[in-house]
Amino acid sequence: MLLTGSALVFSQQAITDSLSNSLKTEKDVLTKFNLMNKLCQAHRSFGNNDSALYYGKNALSAIREELRKQNKPAGKVLVLKLEKESIEWMQQLED
């Protein structure tokens, strides 16, 4: 039983490490947003709510910054949709 638990923890760490490493090198804002959301979801599923909130809030900040920079209506609609999804995730975490 201990071996199974250790393997699970290792697997969880491998997932979050992989996403974190991808996030460090990514330049595209939308891809970064998606990586932060995946990190948020991964941490949430592992019961790490503090880390999940951290990545969720960072994703929200990134998308708000992108919205501020956007001058195209279509881009603004996409960014607003993504912002709405982030807010919903964070509300679920805080409940």
Side-chain angles (χ1 to χ4, degrees):
M1 190 66 145
L2 181 60
L3 182 59
T4 304
S6 297
L8 180 61
V9 170
F10 177 76
S11 174
Q12 292 172 350
Q13 190 66 44
I15 291 167
T16 56
D17 285 350
S18 176
L19 290 168
S20 293
N21 288 335
S22 296
L23 183 60
K24 289 176 188 174
T25 59
E26 186 56 54
K27 302 288 184 221
D28 180 67
V29 174
L30 186 56
T31 304
K32 285 178 113 172
F33 170 81
N34 287 328
L35 287 167
M36 285 185 271
N37 266 341
K38 286 179 183 179
L39 275 161
C40 175
Q41 292 170 15
H43 282 292
R44 181 172 183 238
S45 71
F46 303 147
N48 303 329
N49 288 343
D50 288 344
S51 295
L53 280 171
Y54 171 81
Y55 285 107
K57 287 179 181 181
N58 280 337
L60 186 55
S61 293
I63 214 65
R64 281 184 177 150
E65 179 63 20
E66 187 62 17
L67 176 59
R68 190 184 65 74
K69 292 178 184 177
Q70 287 282 340
N71 290 322
K72 300 175 191 169
K76 287 183 180 182
V77 169
L78 173 63
V79 170
L80 285 170
K81 178 183 177 292
L82 295 173
E83 182 181 41
K84 180 180 179 283
E85 290 174 10
S86 290
I87 290 170
E88 288 170 359
W89 267 101
M90 287 193 310
Q91 286 173 339
Q92 289 175 10
L93 287 172
E94 291 174 342
D95 290 341

